[in-house]
Amino acid sequence: MNQSATSPKIQTERLLLRRFTEADAPEVSRLCDNYNLYKSTLNLPHPYPVESALEWIATHEESYTSGRMYEFAITDKESGTLYGAVGLSHQQVHRHGEIGYWIGEEYWGQGYATEAARAVLDFAFNEKGYHRVYARFFASNPPSGKVMEKIGMMHEGTQKEHIRKEGRYEDLLLYGILNPNRQ
């Protein structure tokens, strides 16, 4: 998959959010093949071989083109270092979607998820015309909730014991935000 000149890119103060390419697969695999990341995410498998990264990246073009899902690599604007990913689903009929993100453990606590999520929220509201964006996180992963709060999302509820992971049930906390420019 080649990244075309028309591929969307979002720049922030420190980051460049861009489409993933096949060349990212080894680093995606390295960052995602991490138990601490796996246990705090909803859909990330473990282990995470390069083949899984390639399969995941291969789905992006069609999902993006159809407007169902927008996946961005979170990279350093200067060095190009891959820090993680941020994705945004799109339920077009309802004009809403779910934002999700992961950051490689070695880059935790540096504000990259917040900066990337804020930029994608702006993309959702100002470029794609979403009415609402929501997100969910495991109660056992409060740093993810802090990201949601920092970008203006509000706690809307808790899905009690909603997910079974590693033999135990996890509560999911639901956060959301309405487009401040909604009509």
Side-chain angles (χ1 to χ4, degrees):
M1 178 176 86
N2 292 328
Q3 191 170 358
S4 71
T6 60
S7 290
K9 294 177 181 165
I10 301 171
Q11 290 193 47
T12 68
E13 183 180 333
R14 301 179 296 166
L15 304 174
L16 173 65
L17 308 183
R18 60 163 175 81
R19 299 279 291 280
F20 280 93
T21 68
E22 288 178 354
D24 294 316
E27 187 64 358
V28 168
S29 172
R30 186 186 76 78
L31 293 171
C32 289
D33 195 27
N34 175 306
Y35 179 75
N36 290 327
L37 184 60
Y38 157 78
K39 73 179 185 178
S40 67
T41 57
L42 199 53
N43 298 312
L44 199 67
H46 189 267
Y48 199 95
V50 171
E51 294 76 23
S52 292
L54 286 167
E55 289 172 12
W56 177 63
I57 292 167
T59 67
H60 295 183
E61 184 67 33
E62 196 275 327
S63 292
Y64 199 99
T65 302
S66 70
R68 285 192 329 268
M69 185 75 178
Y70 307 107
E71 297 275 5
F72 293 97
I74 301 171
T75 66
D76 185 275
K77 191 159 61 171
E78 302 301 323
S79 70
T81 300
L82 178 66
Y83 297 136
V86 59
L88 179 70
S89 69
H90 193 191
Q91 300 296 321
Q92 295 174 8
V93 68
H94 302 297
R95 294 181 48 215
H96 74 218
E98 182 174 13
I99 191 170
Y101 40 82
W102 60 263
I103 299 291
E105 185 175 13
E106 65 206 75
Y107 305 113
W108 289 358
Q110 298 179 45
Y112 298 134
T114 301
E115 193 170 327
R118 186 175 286 123
V120 169
L121 196 60
D122 182 64
F123 168 80
F125 290 150
N126 297 322
E127 290 191 39
K128 296 299 179 181
Y130 283 40
H131 176 74
R132 168 183 156 75
V133 173
Y134 65 95
R136 299 174 294 165
F137 71 96
F138 290 138
S140 60
N141 182 22
S144 192
K146 294 287 184 206
V147 169
M148 295 171 198
E149 290 171 359
K150 287 177 186 174
I151 65 170
M153 294 181 132
M154 302 295 290
H155 180 251
E156 296 181 335
T158 300
Q159 296 174 294
K160 299 300 281 178
E161 298 185 6
H162 191 70
I163 298 293
R164 184 172 165 85
K165 190 160 189 167
E166 296 194 312
R168 68 179 195 280
Y169 289 98
E170 289 264 2
D171 291 353
L172 280 184
L173 280 71
L174 175 66
Y175 275 60
I177 187 171
L178 296 175
N179 186 336
N181 307 314
R182 65 186 178 275
Q183 299 172 341

